[in-house]
Amino acid sequence: MGRVSMLITNIGELVTNEPAPDREGGPLGLVRDAAVLIEDGRIAWVGPSTHATERLARPGERRDRQEADEYRAHWNDVVDVVDAGGRAVIPGFVDSHTHLVFGGDRAEEFAARMAGRRYEAGGIRSTVAATRAATDDELRTRLAGFVAELHSQGTTTFEVKSGYGLSVADEARLVRLAREVTDEVTFLGAHVVPTEFADASDDYVDLVVGDMLAACAPHARWIDAFCERGAFTAEQSRRVLEAGAAAGLGIRVHGNQLGEGDGVRLAVELGAASVDHCTFLGDADVAALAASDTVATLLPGVEFSTRQPYPDARRLIDAGVTVALASDCNPGSSFTSSMPFCIAVAVRDMGMTPAEAVWASTAGGAAALRRTDVGAIRPGARADLVLLDAPSHVHLVYRPGVPLVARVWKDGAIISGR
Ligand code: NIG
Ligand code: FE
């Protein structure tokens, strides 16, 4: 079988996340009036629409041998031409932090919070009870619904954490279910201490680093720990993260969500790919992040849904920290699966520009997952793209709450829209 090629042309604004001297938009690497050629699920070529149209219409006018070779390599097999009608195309969103395998919901807890109650880590335990009570098929059906939600809002790569099982058997089934829908699976046995270990948190950590890790590591790529008051101490978190790393997993951390603490410094010290939340940071935390390869992943849905102060993205970016945005979709602190919503809030309330927020939810998410095949529209990358019903990426913020995602491709195939 020959190559299957598709050309998306007449793109008013293409966000490549590949800056170049002839491209505007700083890190977004904008190409105006652009075209993208896709071959076998990968980006094959990016350039001006006029160039693409000439190649297809007048193949006889090739100027030299190199161009003739390029033509044979790419343009002979174009079978499908999509006219973007002057609209914008951006890379698919990379949501590097979700907790999508769970039973029940916590709408009443949310309503109570909106009436003045504080958010506390302990709420996680009520979702643990509902998750343990759910069958695999119930969880699988729910998960499939969330995946459809993610796709329809432009997310093409997403991470899923366990953490609502908290027994060996339940955590193992959560990572297995997560693995059915994504390669980016995180074992979060250290989410909170379950009720049956209420006065014996160190015994629970023994279980996490022992039998639970052994059962979960084969299905996971990452280890995570919630290093926070009401969850795990720095020492307990370190034990879990080091054991995960010894089992071959990459490190991510939940830290500094409810107050200043040790999460960020621990993450940096252990070379974590990402430390997530980063709501309460001291100057030493910011300096440590800036001097590291650890991404600071900010989760605007959490502060929105818990009525906490927002993290200061401006302070982090100005210090040189790589910032990602993610949904943290979970039933307790942030029950949104919408990256456009997170982008709008991050710009409105966290000091980011629209360009920074779009970068953080695409290339930033990819950096947080240490992925180079997603998050940018460049030759060789996966053909994960979003066509917006809008002329530019700015409209994602300018038109909050409006469904602007018109069509979504993953690996070159349409997964949402027409
Ligand atoms: O990322 N911080 C810890 N875990 C989740 C909250 C989970 C819950 O409240 O159920 C979070 O916010
Ligand atoms: Fe989380």
Side-chain angles (χ1 to χ4, degrees):
M1 196 180 88
R3 272 188 303 269
V4 177
S5 295
M6 175 179 75
L7 181 73
I8 308 174
T9 186
N10 196 16
I11 300 169
E13 178 192 270
L14 177 70
V15 172
T16 65
N17 287 341
E18 283 281 292
D22 60 340
R23 292 179 179 176
E24 304 163 46
L28 291 189
L30 300 180
V31 183
R32 310 267 178 213
D33 195 10
V36 177
L37 184 67
I38 294 166
E39 271 174 12
D40 290 338
R42 297 271 172 171
I43 307 289
W45 176 89
V46 175
S49 265
T50 46
H51 182 107
T53 314
E54 279 163 21
R55 289 295 189 281
L56 287 178
R58 301 201 298 275
E61 290 180 21
R62 294 186 301 274
R63 281 187 300 272
D64 54 30
R65 172 118 192 217
Q66 190 192 333
E67 230 177 71
D69 287 348
E70 190 197 309
Y71 188 87
R72 266 193 298 279
H74 292 312
W75 304 94
N76 262 341
D77 303 312
V78 173
V79 295
D80 193 9
V81 178
V82 176
D83 185 339
R87 292 175 291 177
V89 169
I90 65 172
F93 296 121
V94 179
D95 189 348
S96 61
H97 184 147
T98 81
H99 307 244
L100 293 176
V101 206
F102 61 86
D105 71 36
R106 280 152 55 200
E108 280 168 24
E109 180 191 308
F110 175 80
R113 220 162 38 239
M114 295 303 111
R117 196 194 296 165
R118 262 188 39 210
Y119 174 80
E120 281 167 359
I124 294 168
R125 291 191 193 96
S126 65
T127 297
V128 170
T131 305
R132 288 177 178 174
T135 65
D136 282 9
D137 275 342
E138 285 165 350
L139 295 174
R140 193 177 276 124
T141 303
R142 196 89 186 282
L143 186 53
F146 291 136
V147 171
E149 253 180 56
L150 291 166
H151 286 170
S152 71
Q153 293 169 101
T155 298
T156 48
T157 300
F158 55 90
E159 178 259 23
V160 177
K161 299 175 199 299
S162 67
Y164 291 118
L166 309 188
S167 69
V168 174
D170 282 298
E171 283 295 302
R173 76 189 182 110
L174 299 196
V175 288
R176 254 192 272 108
L177 289 166
R179 188 69 187 77
E180 291 177 9
V181 298
T182 184
D183 294 339
E184 301 293 348
V185 175
T186 300
F187 167 48
L188 179 58
H191 198 185
V192 76
V193 178
T195 320
E196 59 275 22
F197 284 86
D199 298 314
S201 62
D202 284 330
D203 294 347
Y204 179 65
V205 173
D206 288 344
L207 181 67
V208 171
V209 303
D211 290 352
M212 204 183 278
L213 177 63
C216 294
H219 310 285
R221 179 170 181 229
W222 303 100
I223 181 95
D224 194 344
F226 187 14
C227 180
E228 194 84 41
R229 187 166 22 94
F232 295 89
T233 66
E235 293 67 37
Q236 292 171 330
S237 302
R238 176 192 293 278
R239 272 190 74 200
V240 170
L241 299 169
E242 286 180 342
L249 305 180
I251 295 177
R252 359 190 27 85
V253 178
H254 278 73
N256 301 55
Q257 173 184 0
L258 305 175
E260 278 193 43
D262 302 310
V264 166
R265 269 159 291 167
L266 183 65
V268 168
E269 185 199 321
L270 297 180
S274 179
V275 55
D276 300 30
H277 288 285
C278 295
T279 307
F280 295 93
L281 298 180
D283 289 342
D285 297 316
V286 177
L289 282 166
S292 77
D293 289 334
T294 300
V295 172
T297 299
L298 309 183
L299 312 164
V302 172
E303 282 71 33
F304 181 91
S305 304
T306 58
R307 280 235 173 99
Q308 283 210 145
Y310 286 98
D312 187 349
R314 186 79 269 131
R315 177 185 181 204
L316 288 165
I317 292 171
D318 289 348
V321 176
T322 302
V323 169
L325 290 174
S327 71
D328 195 8
C329 188
N330 78 79
S333 65
S334 177
F335 202 3
T336 181
S337 53
S338 171
M339 292 298 277
F341 170 77
C342 294
I343 289 170
V345 174
V347 172
R348 173 62 178 75
D349 288 309
M350 288 161 46
M352 298 180 92
T353 65
E356 286 167 344
V358 169
W359 189 92
S361 23
T362 51
L369 292 172
R370 302 221 161 134
R371 292 274 297 265
T372 55
D373 58 333
V374 296
I377 299 179
R378 79 165 88 81
R382 287 178 189 276
D384 295 354
L385 305 97
V386 176
L387 171 66
L388 298 177
D389 253 333
S392 88
H393 68 280
V394 178
H395 283 236
L396 286 167
V397 186
Y398 178 43
R399 309 206 60 214
V402 178
L404 296 180
V405 172
R407 195 181 303 178
V408 184
W409 291 269
K410 180 170 172 56
D411 295 322
I414 295 178
I415 56 167
S416 182
R418 295 89 35 216

